[in-house]
Each structure stands twice: as C-alpha cells, then as structure tokens.
C-alpha cells in the first residue's frame, strides 16, 4: 500500500479474521433431541467468537511493535503494524544490543524465535573493556566462550529482520506515519496517517518509540534531555584499522573520563560504532558535527583512544538523549495502551529494548488469554508493566548519572567489583 492510496486494511482485516478464525466444531454422535440444541449452541459460540474479534492496530514497527505482532500472530490473533518508514532497509538501525535472558531473550522464546536468535547472536560480543583516558585497563570482562546464559549481543538490524521475517508479508503497513488517533463514539479509534489517509481499529497500541504520538492520548508526561550522544562509524575495521579492532575487541569498549565517555562497539558486519556521551547542554547540535571539535574535547587523552574519532568514515552525527520522568503511569483507558519507549523512555544503559520486548510478550499473553475482554487484558498488562519498569527506570537514571559524573571511573570500578560476601549473622 502506498501513501495516498485509500486505506481499507481495517475492513479487509476484519473480513479476513472472520474467515480465518471461525472455529470448526465437529458434531459428534448425539442422543436424539440433543442434536439441535447442540447446533444452536455452536451457532451462539460462533457469533461470540466473531464479535470478540478485535482489530488491533500497532503504531510503530520497532522491536516492541514487531515482537507484539509476532506473538499475537502465534496465538492466531491478527494485528496491523503501521510503520512510518518506507521499508525494512529505509534507515540504518544503529548498533548492537545485548539481550537479557529474563526479558529480551524470554520474549524471543515466546515468539518462537530463540533458535534463530542463537544463530544470529554473538555471545563473544559480551566481552567488555573499561579504560581510563590514559588507556589503562580498569575492567576487562570476558564471557564464557559460546555461552548464551549471559547477555549475548545481536545487531539491531539482524534482530529486526528476524522479527520481520517471522510475520506474514502484509502484517506491516510501511510508510504509514501516524499523525493523529481520535477516539470514536462507539469505541475504538480513527487513525490518520501522514498524507491524509486513515484506518479504524478497536484496540490501539502505541509502540511508536521515544517521540510517541499515541502517548499524548494517555499522559502529558514530557521528555527531558539526559545526555548528548555523538556517533561515528568505522567500516571494515579489521582490514582498515587493525589497531582499533584490537583495542575494541569483539564486544564493547568504554573509555571513561571526567563528564565524558568515548565508547566503541563491534558490530556483526565487521564495522565499529563509536559513541561519545556528554552531559546534556544547551549547545546547538551543530557544535558536535566536526571531528576537530570533538578531538578538542578529548585533548590530553591517549592518542590510541582518540584515533577512534579520527577513523570515523563520515562526519559525526549528534543527537539528544531524552527520558520520561521515572514512575510515569496513566489512568487506564479502554482500547489503548503503550509499550516500549512510548511507555517508559529511559536512559540508554542496556534495558530499553529488553523491556520493550518483554512488554510486548506480556501484553500479547494477556490479550491471548482474554481475547473477549481486551480492556481487562490491557489493565492487567499495565499494572504489571508499571511495577516492573519503575525500578529499572530508576536504576537506568542512576547509572546514566554515574557514567557522566566527575567520579565516573571510580564509581564504575566499584560497580563492577564483586563485594566480599558478608559473614552470616550469628544466631
Ligand atoms: C544509543 C542507544 C543505545 C541503546 N542501547 C541499548 C541496549 O544496548 N540495550 C537495550 O535494551 N536498549 C538499548 N537502547 C534503547 C532501545 O533502543 C530502545 O529502548 C528500544 O529500541 C525501544 O523499542 P521500541 O519498539 O519501543 O521503540 P523503537 O525501537 O524506537 O521503535 C519505534 C518504531 O516506531 C516508528 N514510529 C515512530 N513514530 C511513528 C509514527 N508516528 N507512526 C508510525 N511509526 C512510528 C519508528 O520508525 C520505529 O520503527 C539504546 C538506545 C540508544 C539511543
């Protein structure tokens, strides 16, 4: 479907669902007299099933939205994902993510994709090194070789492809940027997309990320800047920059200074993604678009580290990193909810994608358990999600503040050094 074309997905979807999901109940041998009562009962059941079919719209085809669509699909529940991008390769998906066993990996297991994840993921990517500005190693963590019990890394693009490949071809409506959702008097929402075309749905799930449009229907929480991130990419690192490839290793490198971090991450395609984190400030982002300006900020650092900035293939790309107030919640409203960054945008310290995918798995499980009553399903999901994510958002805010503090190096060594176990209290 293209922009400008009338959007008849809502109607088509309902018809398709009716056709596909009508249960085929077999008539067994009945004693005389019970047969017609049974046939009537079957018709009643079929009518109920038809009535309870909901048209589910998911705004946003990121990790959360696609995981949700996939798990619903496994339960025989169709949903349409409306994604603003023009196609799966319209934009670079960014770096690599570590998926945690209890959240991201659990969601992939619920999606029936654990096997494919293992074939795409890089357990060795869990290795990380922490250095000071002089290049001295403060921490060097080596994972168990080949083990998936920790937090293996996977490129975002590989993870997104894995989810997209698991969905029917028409599950994602590309080039559908949601601009407004309007509650309908009889329930559900009318959706308006960029370009003016529209669709209807009974249940709307906002999986539309940090700058969610759907969020404003539930909460007026505003975002605040928590950092500035400047990114560069170094392609074909092993061949073109073997010293830097050695320095970064197979996983992540963090060089911790005073109020500034120079980080680098190995991707599955052999490139290195470099990220410079700085405290949030009011300076224009253009300030950070030249390598020269960045190198001046890292004056006095070991040149073997700042070589990561010099080796960048193209000009640096800066952006503001934002977060929602921790503990944001909203009063339940019928037929609508949020998952992922739309629900709980937190500083990027390794939890956002994992929680987005777990949100998706938990919401899908509630909807599948209670398909006739989506509002109860949403209410149960929201309560559990608020309770789960609140402490994680608090921890993420604390770690973010610690990483960009003047005492970051000491704090981080303490963070990674196991505490001696306390002697058991005497009886
Ligand atoms: C630098 C950085 C590093 C990170 N590293 C990690 C990490 O290591 N581990 C981790 O767990 N998390 C990490 N995160 C956080 C993680 O990226 C997010 O929490 C995660 O992507 C959230 O998933 P989501 O599906 O909610 O949103 P997104 O992945 O942002 O997906 C939202 C989707 O919605 C689409 N969209 C947006 N608006 C609209 C609209 N109006 N209409 C239709 N579609 C729309 C977007 O195009 C996008 O496809 C990191 C974040 C950053 C910034």
């Amino acid at each position: 479907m293209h922009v400008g074309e009338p959007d008849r997905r809502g109607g088509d979807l309902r018809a398709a669902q009716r056709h596909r999901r009508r249960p085929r109940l077999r008539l067994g041998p009945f004693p005389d007299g019970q047969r017609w009562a049974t046939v009537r009962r079957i018709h009643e059941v079929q009518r109920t099933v038809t009535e309870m079919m909901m048209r589910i719209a998911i705004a946003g085809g990121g990790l959360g939205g696609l995981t949700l669509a996939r798990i619903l699909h496994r339960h025989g529940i169709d949903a349409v994902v409306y994604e603003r991008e023009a196609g799966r390769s319209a934009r670079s998906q960014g770096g690599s993510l570590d998926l945690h066993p209890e959240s991201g990996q659990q969601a992939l297991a619920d999606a029936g994709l654990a096997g494919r994840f293992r074939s795409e993921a890089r357990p060795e990517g869990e290795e990380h090194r922490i250095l000071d500005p002089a290049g001295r190693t403060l921490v060097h963590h080596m994972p168990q070789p080949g083990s998936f019990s920790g937090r293996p890394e996977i490129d975002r693009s590989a993870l997104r492809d894995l989810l997209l490949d698991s969905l029917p071809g028409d599950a994602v409506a590309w080039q559908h940027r949601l601009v407004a959702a309007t509650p309908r008097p009889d329930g559900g929402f009318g959706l308006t997309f960029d370009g003016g075309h529209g669709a209807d749905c009974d249940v709307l799930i906002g999986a539309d990320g940090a700058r969610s449009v759907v969020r404003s229907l539930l909460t007026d929480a505003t975002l605040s800047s928590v950092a500035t991130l400047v990114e560069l990419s170094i392609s074909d690192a092993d061949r073109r920059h073997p010293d830097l490839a050695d320095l970064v290793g197979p996983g992540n490198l963090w060089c911790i200074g005073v109020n500034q971090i120079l980080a680098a991450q190995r991707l599955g395609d052999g490139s290195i993604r470099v990220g410079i984190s700085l405290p949030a400030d009011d300076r224009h982002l253009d300030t950070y678009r030249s390598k020269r300006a960045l190198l001046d900020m890292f004056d006095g650092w070991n040149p073997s580290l700042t070589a990561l900035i010099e080796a960048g293939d193209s000009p640096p790309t800066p952006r503001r990193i934002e977060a929602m107030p921790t503990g944001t919640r909203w009063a339940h409203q019928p037929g609508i909810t949020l998952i992922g960054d739309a629900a709980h945008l937190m500083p990027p310290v390794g939890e956002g994608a994992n929680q987005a995918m777990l949100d998706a798995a938990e919401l899908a499980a509630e909807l599948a358990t209670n398909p006739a009553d989506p509002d109860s399903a949403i209410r149960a999901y929201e309560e559990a999600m608020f309770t789960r994510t609140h402490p994680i958002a608090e921890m993420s805010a604390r770690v973010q503040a610690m990483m960009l503090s003047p005492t970051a190096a000491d704090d981080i060594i303490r963070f990674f050094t196991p505490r001696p176990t306390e002697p058991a209290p005497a009886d």
Side-chain angles (χ1 to χ4, degrees), residues 78-354:
D78 289 327
V80 183
V81 178
Y82 293 104
E83 168 55 49
R84 68 179 169 187
E85 287 171 12
R88 69 162 78 195
S89 39
R91 180 177 66 88
S92 147
Q93 291 300 306
S96 169
L97 297 165
D98 59 330
L99 289 196
H100 309 177
E102 72 287 359
S103 44
Q105 288 189 48
Q106 179 59 56
L108 284 177
D110 292 0
L113 297 171
R116 277 211 55 195
F117 168 69
R118 280 172 177 243
S119 64
E120 300 273 353
R122 290 173 288 114
E124 71 281 8
E126 222 193 306
E127 181 171 334
H128 59 253
R129 303 159 187 204
I130 302 179
L131 273 52
D132 71 7
R136 284 183 297 250
T137 302
L138 305 176
V139 173
H140 188 172
H141 168 76
M142 303 271 280
Q144 198 116 3
S147 166
F148 282 84
S149 60
R151 298 177 167 187
E153 295 270 340
I154 184 167
D155 287 8
R156 264 171 200 272
S157 54
L159 182 56
R160 197 189 195 209
D161 279 349
L162 189 155
L163 289 163
L164 281 169
D165 291 346
S166 73
L167 286 168
D170 61 352
V172 181
W174 297 102
Q175 220 167 329
H176 275 65
R177 185 166 75 83
L178 183 71
V179 290
T182 315
R184 286 185 326 221
D186 55 339
F189 291 85
L191 309 178
T192 308
F193 299 98
D194 189 23
H197 48 298
D200 283 335
C201 66
D202 301 315
V203 173
L204 173 61
I205 295 153
D208 48 344
R211 295 280 171 112
S212 168
V213 170
V214 181
R215 186 191 293 137
S216 61
L217 278 89
L218 289 167
T219 166
D220 52 13
T222 52
L223 305 183
S224 55
S225 283
V226 294
T228 301
L229 176 70
V230 190
E231 291 180 297
L232 299 112
S233 179
I234 305 170
S235 59
D236 197 7
D238 291 308
R239 197 181 56 81
R240 294 174 56 229
H241 299 281
D243 293 352
L244 295 180
D246 270 0
L247 175 75
V248 176
N252 285 277
L253 168 77
W254 290 287
C255 311
I256 313 281
V258 172
N259 299 326
Q260 60 192 82
I261 294 177
L262 173 59
Q265 179 180 62
R266 169 66 73 134
L267 266 64
D269 65 1
S271 67
I272 291 175
R273 200 170 177 86
V274 179
I276 293 164
S277 296
L278 303 161
D281 62 25
D282 295 333
R283 283 200 267 181
H284 198 283
L285 283 181
D286 286 349
T287 317
Y288 303 104
R289 286 192 204 279
S290 94
K291 285 189 194 172
R292 187 64 265 151
L294 293 177
L295 288 166
D296 287 347
M297 287 176 202
F298 287 85
D299 190 29
W301 283 46
N302 190 313
S304 69
L305 308 183
T306 51
L308 286 163
I309 300 174
E310 281 170 305
D313 295 333
S314 45
T317 315
R319 62 170 149 157
R320 305 243 181 259
I321 299 293
E322 296 176 310
M324 283 164 71
T326 52
T328 298
R329 26 186 322 139
W330 54 86
H332 170 75
Q333 286 183 36
I336 180 169
T337 193
L338 305 173
I339 64 171
D341 282 359
H344 44 64
L345 179 64
M346 44 184 99
V349 299
E351 283 287 354
N354 281 281

